[in-house]
Each structure stands twice: as structure tokens, then as C-alpha cells.
Amino acid sequence: MNKTLLLLMIGIGALFSSAQAQMSTPPPFLYQHQAWVDSVFASLTPEERIAQLIMVAAVSDTKRSSIGTTTSSPAYVEKLIRENKVGGVVFFQGGPVPQARLTNHFQSISKVPLLIAMDAEFGLAMRIDSTVRYPYQMTLGAMQGHNNLIYDMGSQLAKQALRLGVHVNFAPVADINNNPNNPVISFRSFGENKYRVAEKALAYMQGMQDHGLLTSAKHFPGHGDTGVDSHYDLPVINHSKARIDSLELFPFKVLINNGLSGMMIAHLAIPALEKTNNLPSTLSKPIVSDLLRHQLGFSGMIYSDAMNMKGVTKYFPNGKADAMGLEAGMDVLEFTEDVNKSIAEIKKSIAEGRISQAEIDYKCRKVLQAKAWVGLNKFKPIELKNLYEDLNPKQAELTNRLMTEKSLTVLRNQDDLLPLRELDTLKIASISLGVDSISTFQTTLSLYTSMDHFTLPANPSEAQIKAIRKQLSTYNLLLVGLHLPSISPRNTYGLTASTNGFLAELISTNKAVVSIFGNPYALNNLNKIESARSLIMAYQWTKYTEDLSAQLIFGAIPSEGRLPVTANAQFPYGAGVSTPALGRLKYTIPEELGLSSEVITYKIDSVANLALSQQATPGCVVQLAKDGKVFFRKAYGKHTYEGNTPVRVTDIYDLASVTKITASTLALMSLWDQKKFDLDKHMKDYLPTFKNSNKADLVWRKVLTHSAGLKSYIKFWSEAQNPDGSWKPNIFSTKKSAQYPTSVVGDSLYIRKNYTEVLYKGIRDSPLNANQDYVYSDLSFLLYPKLVQNLTGENFEDYLKKHFYRKLGASTLTFNPTRQFGLSEIVPTEKDTFFRMTQIHGQVHDEAAAMMGGLSGHAGLFGSANDVMKVWQMFLQKGYYGGQQLLSSEALTEFTRYQYPEIGNRRGIGFDKPNFIYTANAPRYASPSSYGHTGYTGIMTWADPAWNLNYVFLSNRVYPTRENNKISQLNIRTGIMEVIYKELLKK
């Protein structure tokens, strides 16, 4: 059975209640490949067998090393391998390629393949750059269950380590951290509950060992309740034997009983277990041999903690301590500083009978068995090609994201403020403390609604604080991120008095939602933190904790984490409240949906870059979501062919006919819900001026499906021209005035006041087609702003913003965008050569909409891809978004279904739908339940309930001319979505 499933199936109570009673399970490497072991063993001299028990330190980058390089430099380590035949190397600082090269070199000169080890508790990134950093164990301790994710982390780390030629990970940390002032374990522990520590350490261990990596649980018999760092002194544990047996030893017993391959011994003085004063546990026979080996039945590899640490060297010099460690029962001496002296002392110990050659031989054979188990009996050099890519798989990013998401802990939530609802009532400021520029936390917050951002460095001046203080008074909600630069209690987590004081000041406003990116024990150092209106503990400062904390605040994800330790009386072990998800968009990576980032990025890039290379459009934005999860969001190209402004995912585009759905049809569905608008009534019922027209009895359902006989469009702009091309003075003026208040383009042309009524009259008096066959028409959509105002008494744009856009957090959705945004944020469209005679930028491209002052129901809406997607996600979710039912599910069902399929009309109410025979109006694999629309400027939106897919494509294909229709000829818009359908069909 798969071990992941086994973890899920085994009852935790049964597992732990029987932990002590079970016979220990031998580690998997024992008694493997005996022929190879015997052959190699026979080739070794007695001194070389001793050397196999020694693991020396090495660095692949001496300039960045945090350890002394005298005995760890490549040249010195090479000397030890050649002359002393040491058995292993433990790597510290460096980079993956330098370490791989050095490993290959070391292996090439070694008589016996070397056992390579690392401290990689939270991934290879604990020691080397450019590799995966997983969450700290304390962060994972906050997860309620989800130990399968920890198993996945272990399995991924095993593959990464072995790819780098590393065979032993000195992990997991199985210490129970029940001392808030512990300077060395702290965040490295899963927490203070022995059962949770044990189950999580077990999942981590099994994930690694099941995939071929040797492990070493640490720091036996338990380093969690100390206030001293054994790197610098010898900590003393003054607990009773009974207490140690029932608490500190518990996780180690569980691991031993489940086949743990290695154990690391801590440098601790424990009077209850070792009577000799100042004798560290590393050198204690009662602890190593009697307790661990015999009483607990551990038969795996026993490693020392680093033999250069003051916890051992303070009372026992190098060499002597190494010999005593083997005498006590250890198998491998890690970080021996003076190999010659150590071998000499061990030989002396053999000669004086304190340890036998047979014991040395037994330990040597065990080391060789471990080497064979990891494949060193068939050693192959590390392949350098694609090393970086192989060490940074996307699946690891997914595991990181999921574990972070499950760990986030809401510690306070006054009046159920989180997740945030009713965005239209909030004026928000975000403040990141401890950073110099806009943080990832703030960038993600901006995905959900508009807000203003402020930052303060770790040591802000009073002037900086005063400047922000003055500005913040106008906001009714403050989203505060506290970014702590240190994870260690040694320097109070990097918290400064000025930052602490200002945070307390923000909390005192009763407006602050505080997210802490740092060690949970820092809660005890933060003034007034228990009074924060809402409080999120994120446990550490990473791009994942910042990103997902922001998503939690807005209800894109729920919170379910709980404190794994006690910070103080206000925040005890287990503190935390759950908050729900509200159906807002979640931002993630394709792997969360079972897709490959590499594959879909390559394929979408290919289609988008085809559009650019063929000059189908200067640039575009692509955004895709499935199951409410945005998994692809990318910008391509530039605003113009000749310019230098790159397209950004936040850029604002002229949505053209997508206005018909994202504005007009949206409003009509709302009115339908309110029973103010009946699809089966007639035009005259809601537009009184149409009572005596040829359109009086046209049924709205037919009108909205383009089958009522309306002409496709009217060239209103040309009717305003004289035969010589000049503008009729009763319509246009080149100067703004009370009579001509509305700009048609820039500051060069203005249209007469209330000219929209002339346009409405033109539609009313226009002829109908001879029959009511399907003819796509803009005309009725020009009327919906008037219809909405007639039925609600509200301006069309005001109605949409009040009832939908502000509630959705879609702050870029607007008409006439230059009122709110600069031109650098808005993508230009056509160079108009027949009407406005200029470059159109920031004003609507469509001529009729321009003559209506930019406010029309058929065109004129502008917005970013992300904000357009919010509206369409609300459609997909049957009117629900952000905790509010903004439309009824019945409205979405009625408006998005085929209305007249029996006569071959593919339309819904307003919405386009797939043709019955493929014509490229929709993606080839789109389901019959799907719906969407395209826009003349190069836009496409599409939603498919059958696949729960949401797609937004924005471009300005009409730059510089509308005559360029390559975007349709090349099927760029539908082609991108078809990439996703094809990948989903493979699953």
C-alpha cells in the first residue's frame, strides 16, 4: 500500500497508544547488498574502517560560508579524502552546481564512495542557494491534519537531494519545543504537542525514506526545553526520567517503531539519564547505548551532532570526544574538525580496550550497508545538465502553497470581520512594516479591490511615521503586514521599538487587520497585539505566506490553522478560529488543477507570440481560471508596435462589445431578478418613446437574441458630417462649452448636450429588416442605459458600480477611464483616419459610443483582465461572489441558455454561445452550456460551466487600424483557450 494512504488510514490514537509496546522496526538499509559490503569491507585496513565512521564538513562557496573554512575548504577536504579515506562529507554553504561539481570531484578521488549529507530540514535551501525552501516545521505544526502534504514534501525533497548527490538529510526535527525562549530549536520544531510532533515527523520521515533518502531524526533525547544553544554552550535538562520518557522521547519512539533509518544525538547534559557532571549526551553510554540502542531497540545509524559545537568541546577537546562518542555507541561522527587526532584517539581507545575492533567493524559494515542502499554500490557522477531545473520542480511550489495555505491561523476575528465582505463600504489602506517597497502581501491585496499602499522600513524615523499617520486617518480599514526580518528570539525577531510602537498605535484605531510574517513566539513581544481587530499568524516571511495571507483576508481561501505552541496566556496552544471561503478568485499555479505550468505556458506562449510575430496585435493579456482558481495570468508584447511600453497584466483595455454582457446584460439580469424587466414584454413597455414606432411590439427576448429584425448598426457619425467632410455645427464644436460639454476625442471635438436623444430617435425611426432572421445588431444595446434609468431612476454607470462592480472589487471597470486612471495604464486603440482624425487613447473606440459621451450599452466599458474575470466568475457561480448573491441562479440559467435552437439561432440572452456546427466563434471543445462574447477591439471572454472554466483575453488588435483582422484569421483568441481544453482532456 502507498505510504501516503497508510498515513491517512492509520488511526492516530492506535498508532500512538501502541508506540511503546511495539517492537522497533529495523531501518530499510540494514543487511542490503551484502556481497558488495563484504567486498568493500575486506579491502579496508583497520584504520580505514575507522575513517568510514567520520563525516567531515565542506562548503562549495568559501566566501559565503558561515562556518570556519580552515577545515572545510575544498582543498582541505580533498586532502582528508585522499590521505585519511574519510567515509562521508556534510555540505554547508554553496550553490547547487558548485556543490555538484565538488561532489563529483570528491567521489572521483575517494577509495570508497562517500556518503554525502546535509542539514536540509526545510529543504536544500537551508544550506544552498537556488533550491526549494519548504516551510519551517513550526509552520507545518499549525496544519490540522494534512500530513499527506508533509509526506509529499519529504518525497520531493528526497528526489531533489538524490539528484544533487546527497544521501542523508539530518531531519526531521522531532524535538518538542515547549520553551518559548529556546534559542536553537524554536521554529525548527513541529510544536509543543507530542502527538502532533510525532505524527508530522513520521510523515516527513516516511516521505524521505520511501523515496530512497536516509534520514536522521534529531536531537535525541530532546532539545526542545532549553534556554541555551548547544552551538555555544552545554545546555542542561533538569527534568526527571519519567518526564523525559513520557514527553521528550515520545516522538523518537514513534519514529523508531516505524523504521527510522538514523538518529542524531544532541549535546545535552541530562542528570536524570547521565550521572557524570558535564558529560554531553553525545558521549554518554547510558543515553546512546543503554537507552537508545537497547531499551528503545534502535538499530539504525546513530550520528553525532556536529563535533565542533561548544556543547561538546567546552569540556572535551577534539579527538578525545570523538573516541568517547564511538565508545558511547554512536556510529558516525559528524563535523570532526581534526581527523588525524580523532583517528589517533580512536585507535588508542581500541588499544586500551574501551572499544573493540569488532565494534568498529560492525559500525563500518552498517555505514557500507547504508551506502549500498542509496545506490553507491553503483555510483554514477551527478549529471550537471538541467540540474537547476530538476532541483526546482513546479510540484514543489504547489506543495509549498498548499502547506502554507493550510497553516495560516486566524487568532482574532472581532465581529467576524474576516473574510472581508461588502467591499463597497470599505476604504482600505495597506501598510507593510519592515519593508522598503511594496510587498508581495500588498500586491496580492490589490487583486481584490482598490486600496492605497504604504510602507515603513524596519527602523523608521519619526518623520516617516508622522507622514503616514496623517494620511491614514481617512481610511476605515487598515490591512497591516508585520514583516519580521529574523526568525530567532536571540535578537527579538528583528523587531524594533519604533515599529512595535507604531503597530500598537495602528491597533488602537480599532481598524487594523494585522498579519504577522514571523515566529509565533514574537506575539509575546508585540504591544497591544491581543487587541487587534483581526489577527493572522503566518509563521514566517515568504512569498507564499504573504500571498496567501492576502487571499485569506478576502475569502479566496479559508483559514483552518491553529497555534502549535503557546506564545503567552492570550495565545495558548491550539488558539485559532476558522474562517470560510467566500467564492472570490483564488490565485495559484496550474499544478493545483493537475496541469503542467511548463506545458501550458509553452503552448499559450506559442499562440500569443504567433499573434505578435504576425502583427495581429501589438500586445495582449491572457487570464484563465478553473474552479475559481486563476492559474494563468500573463501579459505579452507592447502597447504599440513602435513604442517601448510593455503590456502589464493590470493594464486597462477598451472592452468594446464585451460591454454588452459585462454591463448591459448584467444590468438586465438584475432587473429581471427584481421583476422590473420581463423578457417577454415589448420595447414600448420600457421605452415609452417607442410606442408609435415600428419597434413598439418587438419582444425583448427576440431583441436580445438578435432576431427581432433590427439593423446591425447605424453610422451616426457620418450623418453628422457635411458633404465636404466638415462637421455640422449644430452637432459638434471644437471648443468645450455649456452647450457642447462632452468630449468625443481629447480636447479637440465636443458634442452637443443631450445628443444621445437624437441617437435614440435615430434607432427608433430606423427601418427593420424584411424578416426576423438572426442578424447581429448593436442598436438595442445603445438603448439600455436609457432603459435602466427609466426602470431604476439611476444612471447606468452608477447602477452598475453601486450594485456590482464595487461589490466585486472590480475597480477598473468604468466608462471614460481617464477620469480615474492615467494614460500609461490604458492601452491605446485605433489611429482614427475618418472621424476623430487622431490616435484614440483613453476614450472609447466605437464611434456611436463616443457620440454618447463614452457611456453606452454596446461599447464604452474599460477594464483590466482581472476585474473582467470577477464579473464572469460571478456568472459561473450562478450569481454568487464574495459572500453575496448578486444575481439569482435562475437569472444565469435563463440568460445563458440557447433561446431559439430550433431555428438555428445560437444566442442566449445577450450572450454568445457555441455555434451548432463549429465556426470558430467559440473554442472548438467548448460545451453547449458555455457562453461568452468577443469585442471589436480584440477582446474575448468565455465561461464554460461544464469545465468550470473562465477565460479573458484582452488585446488592441485595432492598433493602428481596424483593417487588421489577423487575430480572427489566426484563431488566436479561441486557440489559447483550446490549449486548456486539450490539456484537461488528457487528464
Side-chain angles (χ1 to χ4, degrees), residues 774-906:
Y774 169 71
V775 174
Y776 181 81
S777 174
D778 276 350
L779 295 187
S780 77
F781 285 90
L782 275 73
L783 303 171
Y784 296 128
K786 182 71 171 177
L787 183 150
V788 169
Q789 187 152 18
N790 287 348
L791 295 181
T792 67
E794 296 180 61
N795 170 275
F796 183 57
E797 182 175 18
D798 293 343
Y799 183 86
L800 290 164
K801 288 185 174 180
K802 176 182 177 181
H803 297 283
F804 295 100
Y805 300 160
R806 292 192 186 105
K807 292 178 184 292
L808 293 168
S811 55
T812 65
L813 291 183
T814 189
F815 295 85
N816 296 308
T818 53
R819 296 174 299 169
Q820 298 173 241
F821 304 99
L823 287 178
S824 64
E825 302 173 85
I826 306 169
V827 179
T829 52
E830 188 173 14
K831 291 181 179 178
D832 190 341
T833 58
F834 53 86
F835 173 24
R836 288 158 286 185
M837 310 305 290
T838 189
Q839 170 66 62
I840 307 302
H841 191 184
Q843 290 183 289
V844 63
H845 173 267
D846 182 88
E847 296 83 16
M851 294 178 72
M852 297 176 73
L855 182 64
S856 175
H858 77 294
L861 189 65
F862 284 71
S864 68
N866 193 49
D867 283 349
V868 172
M869 181 166 277
K870 291 172 186 175
V871 176
W872 286 73
Q873 190 61 36
M874 184 259 291
F875 291 164
L876 266 178
Q877 293 171 178
K878 295 291 186 180
Y880 177 82
Y881 194 85
Q884 296 178 285
Q885 194 71 42
L886 300 176
L887 292 171
S888 71
S889 61
E890 292 80 9
L892 268 301
T893 298
E894 179 63 23
F895 277 67
T896 62
R897 70 177 178 86
Y898 288 111
Q899 295 293 311
Y900 300 108
E902 67 279 1
I903 60 173
N905 185 328
R906 71 170 189 257

Side-chain angles (χ1 to χ4, degrees), residues 64-85:
R64 291 184 297 150
S65 178
S66 62
I67 64 173
T69 57
T70 303
T71 58
S72 61
S73 68
Y76 189 83
V77 173
E78 178 175 342
K79 182 174 182 293
L80 296 176
I81 294 169
R82 290 185 185 277
E83 296 180 5
N84 297 104
K85 310 296 191 298

Side-chain angles (χ1 to χ4, degrees), residues 385-560:
K385 185 178 179 182
N386 297 325
L387 181 61
Y388 173 84
E389 292 78 8
D390 293 345
L391 293 180
N392 291 275
K394 270 293 185 179
Q395 202 62 34
E397 181 180 344
L398 174 61
T399 301
N400 250 313
R401 296 186 68 87
L402 293 176
M403 292 193 296
T404 300
E405 178 181 333
K406 302 302 182 184
S407 69
L408 295 176
T409 305
V410 176
L411 292 174
R412 274 184 58 80
N413 196 20
Q414 182 181 323
D415 301 323
D416 291 328
L417 176 63
L418 298 181
L420 297 178
R421 299 168 172 84
E422 299 179 354
L423 301 184
D424 53 324
T425 67
L426 302 176
K427 184 179 181 184
I428 304 173
S430 78
I431 309 100
S432 273
L433 304 177
V435 301
D436 297 313
S437 58
I438 299 298
S439 63
T440 298
F441 176 59
Q442 292 172 300
T443 300
T444 302
L445 289 173
S446 291
L447 294 172
Y448 291 98
T449 192
S450 61
M451 65 187 70
D452 295 317
H453 299 302
F454 302 88
T455 63
L456 273 178
N459 289 288
S461 67
E462 183 54 38
Q464 289 173 308
I465 292 175
K466 184 177 179 180
I468 290 181
R469 180 189 292 129
K470 183 177 180 180
Q471 296 178 75
L472 293 181
S473 61
T474 63
Y475 300 90
N476 63 9
L477 185 67
L478 308 177
L479 302 181
V480 184
L482 178 61
H483 305 259
L484 294 175
S486 174
I487 198 71
S488 171
R490 289 194 191 97
N491 57 356
T492 323
Y493 312 103
L495 181 68
T496 61
S498 53
T499 298
N500 203 354
F502 186 59
L503 175 62
E505 186 179 326
L506 295 175
I507 291 170
S508 296
T509 66
N510 199 35
K511 301 176 184 177
V513 173
V514 181
S515 299
I516 300 175
F517 304 108
N519 193 315
Y521 287 120
L523 287 164
N524 204 37
N525 298 81
L526 298 173
N527 300 334
K528 297 187 178 181
I529 194 65
E530 69 279 358
S531 300
R533 192 167 175 196
S534 292
L535 177 61
I536 299 168
M537 173 49 65
Y539 298 99
Q540 58 187 106
W541 182 4
T542 71
K543 63 181 179 181
Y544 303 117
T545 56
E546 289 190 81
D547 177 21
L548 289 160
S549 293
Q551 297 199 44
L552 183 155
I553 287 170
F554 283 97
I557 60 174
S559 72
E560 56 183 67

